[in-house]
Amino acid sequence: MPDLRIDATVNGRAISRPAKPWQRLLDFLRDDLNLTGNKEGCGAGECGTCSVFLDGVLVKSCLVPVAKAQNARVETIESLGRAGALSVLQRAFHKAGASQCGYCIPGMVMAGTAALRANPLAGREEIRERLGGNICRCTGYQKILDAVELTRDVGNGTLPESALAEEEPADGRFIGANVRRLDAPSKVSGALKYAADMTMPGMLHVQVLRSPHPHARIVSIDTAGAQAMPGVAGVVMADDVPGIDGFGVFVNDQPVLARGKVRYVGDAIVAVAAEDELTARRALDHVTVVYDPLPAVFDPREAMRPGAPVIHDDAPDNITKHIPIRVGDVESGFARSDLIVTQTYSTQAIEHAYLEPEAGLGYVDPDGVVTIISPSQNITHHRHMLARILALPINRVRFIMSPVGGGFGGKEDMIYQGILALLAIKTGRPVRYVFTREESIIATAKRHPSRTTLKMGLTRDGRICAVEFRMISDGGAYGLSTEGVMRKAAILGAGPYNIANLRMDTYGVYTNNTPSGAFRSFGALQTQFATESHLDICAEKLGLDPFAIRRVNAMRDGAVTHTKQTLGSVSLMRALAAAEEAARWEAGPPSSRGATRHDLGGAGNRAPCTLGARFAAAEHAAQPEKVA
Amino acid sequence: MLYCDAYLTPRSLADAFTAMAEYRGRYRLVAGATDTLPWARAGRAGDVAIPALIDVSAIPELRERRVDATRVRIGAATPMQRFLDDGDLARAMPVMARCAVWFADDQIRAAATVGGNLVNASPAADATPPLLAHDAQVELACAREGKITRRRMALGDFVRGPGKTALEADEILLAIECAALPGYGAEFEKVGHRRSLVIATVCLAAVVRLDAAHAIADLRLAVGGVGPVPCRLHESENFLRGGAATLARLEEAAHMTVGLVQSRTRHDYRRDVLHGFVVRGLASALRRAGGASPPVGELEASHA
Amino acid sequence: MARRRGRGMAACWYGIARTATVDRAAAWAEIDDGGTAKIATGVTEIGEGILTVLAQIAAEELGIRPQDVTIGDNDTARAPEAAHAGATRQTYMIGNAVALAARQARAQLVDVVASQWGVAANLVETANGEVFARKTNHRMPMGDAVSLCKSRGVVPVGAASFGTDTTGLDPVDGSGRPWQAYVFGCQVAEVEVDTLTGEVQVLGVWAVHDVGRAVNPRGVEGQIEGGIVQALGQALMEDYRIENGRTTTPGLAKYILPTALDVPHVTSVILEDRDPIGPLGVKGIGEPAMVPTIPAVMNAIYDAVGARITALPATPERVLEAIKERERASRHRAAAE
């Protein structure tokens, strides 16, 4: 069957080009027409980074077979405006601070444009609904909604166009001023190139074979079939690493490609570079890996037991890191307590879900410098590790940061940059590797799931006498940031309170689950969830207001922390007072008094979401005006 | 990824059947394609190669729309968003409009078709309960011995189980016909883990008409997510039909659904939610059907 | 089957920059032709707005506008080390390094101008794109000052690094000085719980955070709003599931994230308790913003319906089960009395 020929109008220009019958409109726009403003975030219609207008109707172009664009009118983000000539909505995004990493923003701008085209007077709740197909992971949506409302109000004349302009600080001081983001015009217009938007002459495409087993010895790898395929330029595996293999934020326990065994489902084993992505993908089907499955362990408590399967030979107890903190004597503290409460808390694994899946390019420059372009959160450390892996002097390795489409800690790990380097060296050509969303989910780190047992003893007036805190965390198959996460969890876990007697233990444990790693709030989130829940449980039992019990124990200026560090100024008491005031908090014990409290429903709340804001708007519009 | 050697867009029913015959056993029909493309990805079907994709969305019979005072006929390739944006359709099928606003999101609704939702036969398909409430019939077509023949059946007979329908391998779902229910009060209740782009754990369609005395003249209730196929709640309907709309009677009608939940996962949760949805969904539908609705006030008072 | 509201609160603390190790960052600054500026540093913009923050800092120090500052790309072959994007460290570490580097560059320029004018260097100020000497009529555009420097054989540049005075932890009792700057915060959450379905909607969050000094308040709000919504995802819906080592949430259809329909209104209150060590007084906001949200929401759910959720996420099923458990327990108590 011959290729399709697509005749369409794209951003006002007639085009006529061949296309593969299986191509999606997104591929056609990005790969064939170089319109990379709209992104691929998930490939499954779940995120909206690829939203474009098709005959004036907003659609997710990852769900549109390219044949549906036949004779159609397509508008991408590039049609709306460009730096210096932005649309009102793009200017409003700039003004409102609606873009952060920017990866979702082209889709958001399209969705906001569509919402106001559908109803130029849409209220905030209706705008929310009309933006409901677009995920943003950075902003919390508030400033995006502000921007769409600002556009509406400028559009209908409620606000002057000057509302979109920069506010110059009157005193000429820029620290403390709401300066508009300098990078916003490039993000709201889709002009900014992320790694997956970049190409290089002669570039090859990379695909990676990943383990289907959680724990297995690799008996043999046969890549001959893949090597022989036309279009395949290079195949690499662990044997191709010239230096000391291994990376990690704290311990270098993860090989670039699985060495001798696999430790989780998704462990990279073999990487292929080929002339196009489809060939590279098909080449993986011609790699044969023989596995000898090993007993696996998925629960960190089981992994800590004697006799559990050992995941890394240098950690026979499977403990990646244990951090102890000891203050005073907890037994005497509990003995003095009027109330002792013990409770277990658990938190789940969380995916970073940055809208930009991992992507990067690698090449060897004319001077022989191995160069990696990727959205890495830590190019300094990556350069150190890669130089050792490649056995090159450190200035023969160069990392260039591409715009990061969201990180949250998940792009601190050097998960794929080593693969790019090996293939660039092997093929002598530039290579690019773009993860699918599914690959990003299966292969990269998560927030540590945790299980915490917290025992707290207090006096009748709410003073904490003793805390025993034990957290066990699933670190998964490799160390990554587990050590640091356990450390921060231990230091901060008992909260900003004066605790004379503390026994704190945090354990990070190897299992055969997806590795856990750095994630915004890094252990402090899991532990302080436990402590702050626990304080409310204790406050109810003691009949104390939640603010009051925290004030009784709050660190103040000059406090000594649980690691015996003397602090200077401590702003906690100010923060408590400011929150109480801002929320107009009605004091009382946390005894499920929601039904009787008087501080509910005031300013600062949104209207509860009951789907169908557009019905309400339509019903309102349909009502005849009342005559006085 | 979904790979194909040919992507065909027949412009007539006859052309579609020709293509289906040519690629017999080696094609897949698509309309909106919003389910097919995500299906062929890692974690689901993985990479899939199909010789031909046959896109039926351009066939005129699948794009029909006829609405009069008593009947509605809509082509199977009608996008879900149409039930929201097309005023006549929204008036004739008030519960479909309420359902559509919960269906995926604005953009997917613009492409996803009502027929696609039916033939996928998900136990939690959003569009099926409202169409069951409308006593919808489906019209199927095939070309056998050179002749295009059509057959009809009730939607309840068409959906046979998870992913299973009465559609034969050589058939196309052409259209959906159902009663128009203008003036009915409608509600669509749905719960998942968020409010947009979400698969229902339980969903419920309720439509009600009141008589002059504010008794329930007609009502239809249908539920999805609680068993292998969405279904009508006939026992509850029969109990309520013709009677007064009091909270006590709604509660009693809801109680009749207790044994209905067949899903093994989250069984108790689904049972409780279904019970609650019957009461609350009906109360909302009653309010929309005729102004002052005693159960709503009672419901609010009883839980204040 | 009512919808019930409740409120909860939680406090937090957090350390700024790398933990229990010495942190460091460097920057180079040049006052460039036309009165613009060039900054080179290993900064990693991950969406938080650090490039704008650094441009504001350089602009303030040099007396020019942020849009006249160019921040070079982060490239290990072209920029000095500023370490990683994480640990709520970039404004603190790199911001202070840029301020110090800019001050050096400015001092070079001021020396040349002061000698040209024959005034003491400490009388020379830079502001609004101009250089002037207090108590005199001397005044010239920054661009002319740069030309003057170059005519004297001087390119006004500066280079600086900023490091922390911190230690590791004792392996036995954990004592040590992990950070030199700490921040504190507190959030209140208001929720509505649907007692029919167990669904929780967070309607409002009031968030107070000490950031040291807000360089860009709107950017700080963006971090607070985004952090709260990320935490809310973990609180209510997100759940990476794995069974026998294989995920059952392989894509974004199964791994559920909050959409614009699911998020509260956030009221941010910025506290400024300046850091006494760094030259700017800044601290940070990226990570602490999301720390109190989850317990505040769980405490609010308890306030609304008496259900204590200790295992995340608080899905509708879990919340409804907890409500029923509480009803059973209270019936049991009533029967026993």
Side-chain angles (χ1 to χ4, degrees):
Chain A
M1 197 69 191
D3 286 353
L4 301 169
R5 172 159 285 275
I6 300 295
D7 295 294
T9 305
V10 178
N11 296 342
R13 289 180 158 274
I15 58 119
S16 178
R17 310 177 52 100
K20 299 288 178 201
W22 46 266
Q23 269 185 304
R24 306 167 301 173
L25 177 58
L26 177 63
D27 307 320
F28 185 70
L29 294 171
R30 287 176 53 83
D31 300 343
D32 297 358
L33 301 180
N34 277 316
L35 295 168
T36 57
N38 287 102
K39 313 298 179 195
E40 176 159 7
C42 74
E46 297 286 339
C47 78
T49 56
C50 65
S51 303
V52 303
F53 287 107
L54 184 63
D55 283 333
V57 176
L58 195 68
V59 293
K60 292 177 167 176
S61 62
C62 75
L63 296 183
V64 178
V66 67
K68 285 183 181 286
Q70 188 64 274
N71 300 321
R73 188 164 47 87
V74 180
E75 296 161 86
T76 68
I77 183 71
E78 284 86 353
S79 73
L80 294 185
R82 55 182 188 282
L86 299 176
S87 73
V88 171
L89 185 110
Q90 288 169 321
R91 290 164 65 199
F93 268 59
H94 187 193
K95 175 65 188 283
S99 63
Q100 289 192 22
C101 86
Y103 203 82
C104 77
I105 290 299
M108 276 299 175
V109 166
M110 299 299 279
T113 302
L116 293 179
R117 281 186 191 172
N119 182 2
L121 300 175
R124 195 170 178 99
E125 289 306 308
E126 183 175 342
I127 294 167
R128 280 183 200 274
E129 289 183 15
R130 292 188 183 274
L131 264 49
N134 291 66
I135 303 283
C136 172
R137 193 58 160 164
C138 294
T139 66
Y141 302 101
Q142 188 150 314
K143 300 213 180 309
I144 290 172
L145 296 169
D146 291 345
V148 180
E149 286 199 289
L150 174 58
T151 311
R152 175 199 63 205
D153 292 344
V154 169
N156 66 25
T158 316
L159 284 174
E161 196 163 325
S162 60
L164 301 166
E166 179 91 271
E167 305 153 56
E168 295 286 346
D171 58 359
R173 313 299 293 186
F174 290 104
I175 294 185
N178 284 323
V179 172
R180 291 184 305 183
R181 287 180 66 121
L182 300 170
D183 57 359
S186 73
K187 289 176 173 173
V188 300
S189 62
L192 186 65
K193 297 277 187 192
Y194 297 82
D197 303 330
M198 298 176 186
T199 56
M200 293 182 73
M203 184 180 86
L204 298 165
H205 297 261
V206 175
Q207 292 285 292
V208 172
L209 182 73
R210 297 184 178 278
S211 170
H213 297 286
H215 202 193
R217 199 169 60 82
I218 296 173
V219 177
S220 64
I221 302 175
D222 180 358
T223 63
Q227 306 263 19
M229 274 179 68
V232 169
V235 179
V236 293
M237 50 187 171
D239 293 347
D240 293 285
V241 172
I244 302 164
D245 201 355
F247 63 89
V249 177
F250 290 87
V251 286
N252 297 322
D253 63 355
Q254 186 164 4
V256 173
L257 291 157
R259 182 171 292 275
K261 73 172 187 172
V262 290
R263 296 179 175 86
Y264 74 105
V265 173
D267 224 350
I269 304 168
V270 173
V272 175
E275 299 293 339
D276 60 79
E277 200 176 299
L278 182 56
T279 303
R281 223 171 156 78
R282 297 214 160 131
L284 298 182
D285 296 338
H286 295 88
V287 173
T288 307
V289 181
V290 178
Y291 301 94
D292 175 16
L294 296 168
V297 61
F298 306 114
D299 179 329
R301 285 171 297 174
E302 282 174 27
M304 289 168 85
R305 289 192 189 121
V310 173
I311 295 158
H312 292 269
D313 292 342
D314 56 357
D317 54 2
N318 288 325
I319 291 177
T320 320
K321 194 68 186 178
H322 165 219
I323 303 286
I325 293 179
R326 300 286 180 267
V327 184
D329 170 17
V330 288
E331 298 315 326
S332 71
F334 286 124
R336 281 201 308 278
S337 300
D338 299 313
L339 172 73
I340 295 174
V341 175
T342 305
Q343 176 68 50
T344 299
Y345 301 89
S346 64
T347 67
Q348 74 279 42
I350 293 286
E351 160 62 25
H352 299 83
Y354 23 72
L355 269 293
E356 179 207 27
E358 289 73 4
L361 293 83
Y363 59 95
V364 182
D365 84 3
D367 298 324
V369 176
V370 176
T371 306
I372 304 294
I373 302 174
S374 71
S376 157
Q377 287 181 248
N378 194 347
I379 65 174
T380 313
H381 189 218
H382 288 189
R383 183 179 67 148
H384 280 270
M385 294 190 291
L386 190 58
R388 197 184 55 243
I389 288 166
L390 300 178
L392 286 173
I394 202 153
N395 68 346
R396 309 305 281 177
V397 176
R398 177 183 178 195
F399 272 82
I400 301 171
M401 191 198 84
S402 60
V404 183
F408 317 118
K411 290 173 180 167
E412 288 183 19
D413 304 312
M414 204 180 72
I415 289 284
Y416 57 97
Q417 288 86 348
I419 293 171
L420 289 170
L422 294 181
L423 280 169
I425 292 166
K426 185 124 189 175
T427 63
R429 289 170 62 179
V431 297
R432 188 179 80 182
Y433 181 24
V434 180
F435 281 47
T436 62
R437 173 59 59 184
E438 292 85 350
E439 216 171 359
S440 175
I441 289 178
I442 199 177
T444 70
K446 303 289 167 277
R447 185 191 296 286
H448 287 75
S450 71
R451 190 179 164 85
T452 293
T453 303
L454 173 51
K455 179 179 175 187
M456 185 180 280
L458 307 92
T459 59
R460 210 162 279 115
D461 60 359
R463 192 167 302 276
I464 300 169
C465 302
V467 169
E468 202 170 75
F469 194 117
R470 180 181 162 91
M471 178 176 88
I472 294 174
S473 279
D474 183 354
Y478 293 102
L480 301 181
S481 287
T482 292
E483 177 178 332
V485 171
M486 292 309 108
R487 192 175 289 119
K488 216 156 183 171
I491 299 170
L492 296 169
Y497 307 109
N498 297 309
I499 301 171
N501 305 292
L502 172 67
R503 181 200 299 273
M504 162 72 73
D505 293 282
T506 58
Y507 297 87
V509 183
Y510 285 121
T511 67
N512 295 111
N513 290 329
T514 315
S516 302
F519 199 139
R520 190 178 188 179
S521 306
F522 216 76
L525 179 141
Q526 294 93 322
T527 49
Q528 292 187 58
F529 155 60
T531 294
E532 294 293 318
S533 298
H534 209 79
L535 279 172
D536 261 39
I537 294 174
C538 296
E540 181 182 18
K541 293 183 189 297
L542 296 168
L544 291 171
D545 174 71
F547 280 92
I549 195 171
R550 286 167 176 84
R551 283 199 176 96
V552 168
N553 296 291
M555 289 182 183
R556 291 168 162 79
D557 292 353
V560 177
T561 67
H562 313 148
T563 67
K564 304 181 182 73
Q565 176 181 358
T566 302
L567 300 180
S569 171
V570 173
S571 56
L572 177 59
M573 291 295 280
R574 283 171 62 196
L576 292 171
E580 215 171 12
E581 186 191 335
R584 305 168 310 278
W585 179 266
E586 181 183 283
S591 53
S592 305
R593 59 195 172 93
T596 57
R597 58 193 305 160
H598 299 92
D599 54 353
L600 300 171
N605 283 295
R606 64 167 289 198
C609 174
T610 53
L611 249 91
R614 70 194 77 187
F615 297 131
E619 281 160 16
H620 186 71
Q623 280 182 2
E625 268 184 57
K626 290 206 176 82
V627 181
Chain B
M1 288 283 290
L2 183 63
Y3 299 100
C4 61
D5 301 323
Y7 191 100
L8 306 170
T9 310
R11 302 281 153 180
S12 72
L13 211 46
D15 286 355
F17 287 124
T18 305
M20 287 161 70
E22 185 187 343
Y23 285 94
R24 180 198 295 264
R26 296 180 299 129
Y27 68 86
R28 190 180 166 99
L29 299 184
V30 295
T34 56
D35 273 328
T36 305
L37 292 177
W39 161 74
R41 293 187 67 88
R44 296 186 65 192
D47 285 356
V48 175
I50 293 175
L53 290 177
I54 302 176
D55 185 335
V56 296
S57 64
I59 300 169
E61 286 88 339
L62 277 85
R63 303 196 68 89
E64 262 188 284
R65 167 195 170 282
R66 270 188 272 156
V67 184
D68 64 31
T70 56
R71 298 294 288 170
V72 175
R73 182 181 169 89
I74 41 174
T78 301
M80 286 299 294
Q81 186 75 356
R82 195 80 188 268
F83 296 99
L84 270 175
D85 292 348
D86 180 331
D88 292 339
L89 207 47
R91 272 184 292 280
M93 305 184 76
V95 70
M96 276 303 274
R98 295 275 161 192
C99 163
V101 80
W102 273 102
F103 187 103
D105 63 58
D106 278 73
Q107 297 168 56
I108 290 178
R109 288 199 293 271
T113 65
V114 61
N117 198 241
L118 298 183
V119 298
N120 279 345
S122 159
D126 282 337
T128 310
L131 289 171
L132 288 173
H134 275 265
D135 290 322
Q137 295 225 312
V138 294
E139 189 171 300
L140 317 176
C142 67
R144 290 180 194 157
E145 291 151 14
K147 218 176 83 192
I148 294 177
T149 56
R150 302 182 179 201
R151 63 176 178 137
R152 271 178 184 241
M153 67 175 72
L155 176 59
D157 296 329
F158 177 72
V159 181
R160 296 263 167 96
K164 291 201 189 78
T165 67
L167 198 70
E168 298 284 341
D170 60 351
E171 278 183 314
I172 296 177
L173 174 61
L174 269 195
I176 295 133
E177 272 201 37
C178 63
L181 302 175
Y184 276 62
E187 181 62 306
F188 185 79
E189 293 268 12
K190 174 172 170 178
V191 64
H193 281 198
R194 63 179 172 194
R195 290 166 189 82
S196 178
L197 273 172
V198 70
I199 293 172
T201 309
V202 182
C203 62
L204 175 116
V207 280
V208 184
R209 182 167 58 81
L210 296 176
D211 63 18
H214 278 242
I216 296 175
D218 186 23
L219 86 161
R220 294 102 179 278
L221 289 168
V223 63
V226 303
V229 294
C231 65
R232 282 281 285 269
L233 304 178
H234 290 297
E235 194 186 352
S236 306
E237 291 177 13
N238 293 338
F239 171 76
L240 288 169
R241 195 172 287 117
T246 65
L247 180 59
R249 284 174 57 78
L250 297 196
E251 296 270 9
E252 201 172 338
H255 193 67
M256 294 171 177
T257 66
V258 162
L260 205 81
V261 176
Q262 296 174 53
S263 310
R264 282 190 298 270
T265 56
R266 298 186 270 180
H267 177 277
D268 292 358
Y269 178 75
R270 289 184 154 108
R271 183 198 60 208
D272 293 343
V273 169
L274 173 57
H275 182 282
F277 273 0
V278 169
V279 177
R280 191 166 78 187
L282 271 173
S284 304
L286 284 163
R287 189 179 61 237
R288 292 190 183 118
S293 163
V296 179
E298 275 183 78
L299 194 63
E300 279 158 10
S302 74
H303 296 286
Chain C
M1 308 178 191
R3 294 186 170 94
R4 297 190 189 280
R5 289 204 182 184
R7 287 182 142 200
M9 59 78 65
C12 76
W13 66 333
Y14 213 80
I16 299 299
R18 288 186 171 177
T19 308
T21 186
V22 171
D23 202 351
R24 70 280 171 177
W28 299 334
E30 177 188 348
I31 309 178
D32 204 349
D33 292 335
T36 63
K38 216 151 62 184
I39 302 290
T41 178
V43 64
T44 305
E45 167 71 60
I46 56 170
E48 75 280 64
I50 187 65
L51 296 182
T52 306
V53 162
L54 297 184
Q56 286 178 254
I57 290 168
E60 169 111 352
E61 294 291 342
L62 299 173
I64 60 175
R65 300 177 309 161
Q67 50 270 51
D68 296 328
V69 178
T70 300
I71 313 267
D73 289 343
N74 188 11
D75 179 337
T76 56
R78 303 287 183 270
E81 164 169 356
H84 78 298
T88 310
R89 65 180 292 283
Q90 293 206 97
T91 299
Y92 188 65
M93 299 304 302
I94 309 177
N96 281 325
V98 165
L100 294 170
R103 285 177 192 182
Q104 275 195 15
R106 180 183 174 281
Q108 292 205 347
L109 177 132
V110 163
D111 278 350
V112 170
V113 172
S115 80
Q116 167 78 8
W117 287 339
V119 301
N122 62 8
L123 290 180
V124 177
E125 304 240 352
T126 54
N128 299 316
E130 289 185 321
V131 188
F132 57 95
R134 269 181 290 124
K135 303 176 190 167
T136 73
N137 290 326
H138 289 301
R139 183 174 288 272
M140 72 167 84
M142 184 67 82
D144 292 358
V146 174
S147 300
L148 177 67
C149 288
K150 292 192 175 175
S151 74
R152 299 284 175 86
V154 173
V155 179
V157 293
S161 74
F162 183 72
T164 61
D165 173 19
T166 39
T167 71
L169 301 187
D170 181 272
V172 177
D173 73 355
S175 61
R177 179 181 162 79
W179 300 289
Q180 64 182 30
Y182 286 76
V183 292
F184 300 84
C186 180
Q187 293 180 8
V188 173
E190 184 163 330
V191 303
E192 182 179 274
V193 182
D194 184 334
T195 60
L196 193 168
T197 58
E199 286 168 286
V200 176
Q201 292 199 49
V202 183
L203 302 177
V205 175
W206 293 262
V208 179
H209 289 277
D210 167 25
V211 302
R213 182 182 180 195
V215 176
N216 188 319
R218 189 181 290 130
V220 171
E221 287 168 18
Q223 288 299 295
I224 293 174
E225 292 160 10
I228 285 170
V229 166
Q230 260 182 21
L232 182 140
Q234 175 155 17
L236 300 182
M237 60 187 85
E238 293 180 38
D239 196 359
Y240 177 73
R241 311 279 303 185
I242 192 156
E243 282 172 18
N244 293 323
R246 288 175 183 81
T247 183
T248 57
T249 49
L252 297 187
K254 293 275 187 176
Y255 188 83
I256 300 288
L257 298 161
T259 71
L261 284 75
D262 306 298
V263 301
H265 182 80
V266 175
T267 303
S268 298
V269 179
I270 299 172
L271 279 189
E272 296 191 326
D273 184 27
R274 291 195 182 190
D275 172 58
I277 300 166
L280 293 173
V282 297
K283 292 195 283 198
I285 184 60
E287 294 175 277
M290 68 187 295
V291 174
T293 309
I294 297 174
V297 169
M298 297 306 136
N299 290 339
I301 294 171
Y302 186 80
D303 189 49
V305 294
R308 172 57 62 186
I309 305 296
T310 57
L312 302 181
T315 57
E317 297 92 318
R318 278 195 187 148
V319 172
L320 195 66
E321 176 54 31
I323 292 171
K324 293 194 176 293
E325 184 61 42
R326 176 162 171 118
E327 284 169 0
R328 276 194 292 271
S330 68
R331 273 200 305 274
H332 195 72
R333 265 200 310 277
E337 275 162 14

